[in-house]
Structure formats: C-alpha cells, structure tokens
Amino acid sequence: MWTLISVTALLSVLVGAVFARPPSGTAAAGRVDRFGLAFAAVLLLLWVNQVAFNAYVFGAHGGSTAFFGRDFPAVFFARMEPEHPAVRWLERVVPEPEWLAPSALRVQAVLELPFAAFAYLSVARLVDRSVARQIAAGPLGGLLCLSFTVVLCGIEVLLENRYTMDDLALRGVGVLLTVPLMRALAGPAVVPDLPSAWRLVWFGFGLAAMSVLVMGTNLVALLYNLGWLRTLGLPMAAAAFVAAAASWAGSAPVAASGSWLVRLLFAFGRRFTLLFAVPALAIRYAGSRPAGQAAAAVAFAVVLALAAGLAVRDALADVPRPARGVWAARFGVAVVVAAVAAMVPPQTFGAGLGLPDVWMLAKLALAASGFAAGWGLVAALARPPARAAAG
C-alpha cells in the first residue's frame, strides 16, 4: 500500500501539472469564503460523530475498542471522553447505543475527503480567490478528489478491520458528494487577485491558523480522541477566528504592488497552489514512512521546480528589459540563500517538528525566509535602475 501511495504522489504531480493553468475571469470575487464555510460545516459534523462514537463505545462496549477486530496504532482512541457533556446527553436521549454504531469508522469514511478538500481550497483562497475557484470548478478538483481517495483507501487497507469493505465503498460515496459540492460552491470565474504585500501577510496568518485547525482535527476527530479538546479546544477556536479574519481581511480590495519581490512571491504562490493541489495528500503520507520518502521528495521537488520556473516567467513579464539583469541577480542570490536555509533541521526550533505536516510547513517557511533575506541583501547592495523597480 505504501508503494501505491508513493506512485500516486508521482503520478498526481504529472497529471495535475497538465491542468494547472492560470485562471482568468471577468467577474469580481466576493469576500465570503464559501469553501471556509463548508470546511467549518465538516468540522461540526466530525465533532458530532466523535460525540456519537464515544457514546456508542462506552454505552455498547464498556469503553473497549476490541470489537473492531484488530489493534490500531497507539495514537487511535488514546484519549476518548466519556464524561464530555454532549456524550452524556446523547447517552440519555438515545434509547439504544447500537443506533450510534455507524459512528465507528463509517461516517468518518465519508467525511475525510471533504475535510481535506475544503481545507486545501480554504488555503488556496488565501493565495488567490480565482485559483481556489479554478481548482474547485475544473478538472483539478476531480483529480484532487481521486488522488486523495486513492491515498485514503490505501490507509484504510493498511488498517484492515471488520468495517474495511464498508469504508472503502463509503469513500466512493464521499467522492460522489464532494465533487459536485465543490463545483456548486465555486461559482463563476473571477478576476485573479492583484499581487499585494497585504494579501501575502494575511496569507501567512491564515496558513498558520489553518494548519493548527487541520492538525488539531486530525488528532481529535480522525484519530478518535475527543478528550484532546480539553487541551486543544481553545487554540483551535483561536485558530478558527484568525483563519476567518485572514480570509476576510486578505480579500479587501487593494492596489497592485510595484515590488518585484511581492510580485514574484505572489506568482509562485499561485503556481504552487495549482500544481500541489492533486498530489498534496499523497506527498504528505508518502513522506511519513521511510519507504515513501524518496518518492515524496522527488514529487515535491518537481512541484517546487515547476512552480518556481513558471513564477519567474510570470513575474518577468512585468519587469522592463533594462532592469532584468538586476532582477536576475536578486533572484539568483535569493535562491541560494533559500536553499541553505531549507537545509536547517526544523527540529532546531522546537519539539514535534518531525511530523510530516509540520516538517513540510517548517521547510517552506525556512526557504521563504531565506529567499526574502537573499533578495533583500542584493536590493541593499545594488541600486535599482528605476524607482518603479524598487523592492
């Protein structure tokens, strides 16, 4: 199964790249984040399912998970919460605990795909609303759902238990529900957002907040640990507020930046978001095991190289010919500094950064910081040929 996930990562990069084209449109984008609202609805359903699961396990099985017919990894069911007020209430109002039996893996099998898909679209919208819309409404959305489902089915088989066949079928139901819902929420084609430092700053806040929400939900809901809400509930609520604020504030109409660096970073973000959409989950899971790390690294490197190359082409279109030498010098030094920064072990900055999700985000943050530092160093040493080229 890990070989299947590794192959999926590589194939997803190649297939997704065919359809990862810049969006275009004539309508103005609204500020309401429909993908974020869908993501919030899925989070609510996942919480309801956790309440039902705890009521079922403790009501029908005395708290034992032996009925699954196998031992799950220790991270599953490690912190269940039979004393949660909603669990106690549900135990009182439901006549028979067996009515809640579908909460054991089956409901989750339907909800995991929309959870992952709408999380990605919510982050993509922070980069550029037209990019998120293009992914959801076009072939990338269908390919994303297919690639994500192959990975999730692979993990399902690796965790084979009495419900595996049911769950595999229900993951197909998840695809049939998620794809049309994504298209319905996408709306009409919209004008791409203008590159601005304002939007980039809010993207940073939003990405950090969404990362907290996704990883917290993974621990609480996808691994069946409702008890973790005692510790993570407040940070996750704060993250939800920051993510919503970032989506709203970052969508405010602003003038296009004249900074070369801002334009380049914005172009890279747009291209990377399109190229990473399909292989994202496969790369994440392949990178979590030694057997798949080489494939994950190759796939991720291809995405980065394609995104960087296309972003350079996009950004150079706005640079006057006489200024391209200075631009190239800044870019070259920035790439070297970014590569050096990316070699710093993320664990240097804190515990727990060996997790695939955090590791990837930390590497991107280090590379982005190094790139900006290298660009700024050359900008400080070389006088730009024209005032319009400053930045």
Side-chain angles (χ1 to χ4, degrees):
M1 283 300 113
W2 288 112
T3 300
L4 172 65
I5 292 171
S6 299
V7 171
T8 300
L10 294 170
L11 288 179
S12 295
V13 171
L14 299 177
V15 176
V18 175
F19 301 98
R21 296 169 185 162
S24 61
T26 56
R31 297 182 69 181
V32 175
D33 184 358
R34 286 174 288 186
F35 301 126
L37 292 175
F39 178 67
V42 174
L43 292 185
L44 178 60
L45 291 174
L46 286 169
W47 174 78
V48 170
N49 188 64
Q50 286 308 297
V51 170
F53 176 76
N54 277 260
Y56 169 64
V57 171
F58 284 91
H61 298 280
S64 171
T65 56
F67 66 92
F68 284 113
R70 67 156 295 151
D71 291 328
F72 280 76
V75 291
F76 283 81
F77 320 120
R79 288 190 63 175
M80 293 196 289
E81 184 63 282
E83 301 302 322
H84 191 288
V87 174
R88 287 301 189 196
W89 174 83
L90 194 61
E91 287 177 334
R92 290 196 301 270
V93 300
V94 175
E96 294 293 335
E98 287 296 333
W99 292 6
L100 303 174
S103 64
L105 300 186
R106 271 72 54 83
V107 171
Q108 209 103 306
V110 177
L111 294 178
E112 275 189 290
L113 175 61
F115 166 74
F118 289 124
Y120 191 88
L121 290 170
S122 297
V123 173
R125 189 182 182 279
L126 294 168
V127 178
D128 186 334
R129 285 168 289 183
S130 68
V131 164
R133 184 265 166 199
Q134 175 145 327
I135 294 171
L140 282 178
L143 290 170
L144 178 153
C145 289
L146 178 61
S147 174
F148 282 23
T149 300
V150 169
V151 173
L152 293 171
C153 285
I155 300 299
E156 192 77 59
V157 172
L158 288 169
L159 296 172
E160 185 177 3
N161 58 82
R162 62 183 292 191
Y163 301 122
T164 295
M165 296 309 297
D166 291 346
D167 290 350
L168 291 174
L170 287 169
R171 292 194 184 280
V173 174
V175 174
L176 295 176
L177 292 174
T178 304
V179 172
L181 181 57
M182 282 171 46
R183 292 180 182 273
L185 293 173
V190 296
V191 176
D193 286 307
L194 297 174
S196 69
W198 173 264
R199 191 165 183 86
L200 286 176
V201 167
W202 280 109
F203 165 73
F205 282 114
L207 176 61
M210 284 297 297
S211 300
V212 170
L213 278 174
V214 168
M215 287 185 282
T217 303
N218 183 65
L219 184 59
V220 171
L222 304 188
L223 299 178
Y224 295 85
N225 291 301
L226 185 62
W228 270 111
L229 273 183
R230 289 180 179 269
T231 305
L232 300 178
L234 187 58
M236 289 177 67
F241 175 80
V242 172
S247 178
W248 182 259
S251 301
V254 292
S257 172
S259 165
W260 287 349
L261 178 59
V262 169
R263 288 178 174 273
L264 178 59
L265 291 176
F266 197 83
F268 176 81
R270 180 185 283 130
R271 290 289 189 171
F272 179 85
T273 303
L274 287 166
L275 290 163
F276 193 57
V278 178
L281 198 67
I283 290 175
R284 181 258 182 245
Y285 273 102
S288 69
R289 292 292 186 277
Q293 286 173 352
V298 169
F300 194 56
V302 171
V303 170
L304 286 175
L306 284 173
L310 292 169
V312 167
R313 189 186 69 179
D314 296 343
L316 272 178
D318 295 327
V319 179
R321 285 190 178 277
R324 290 185 178 180
V326 174
W327 192 98
R330 294 185 185 184
F331 180 77
V333 173
V335 167
V336 171
V337 178
V340 173
M343 294 179 187
V344 177
Q347 290 85 347
T348 303
F349 304 99
L353 290 176
L355 295 171
D357 315 78
V358 185
W359 182 90
M360 192 178 299
L361 288 171
K363 285 290 186 181
L364 285 172
L366 287 167
S369 300
F371 189 92
W375 186 283
L377 176 65
V378 179
L381 297 176
R383 190 183 187 89
R387 187 175 183 276

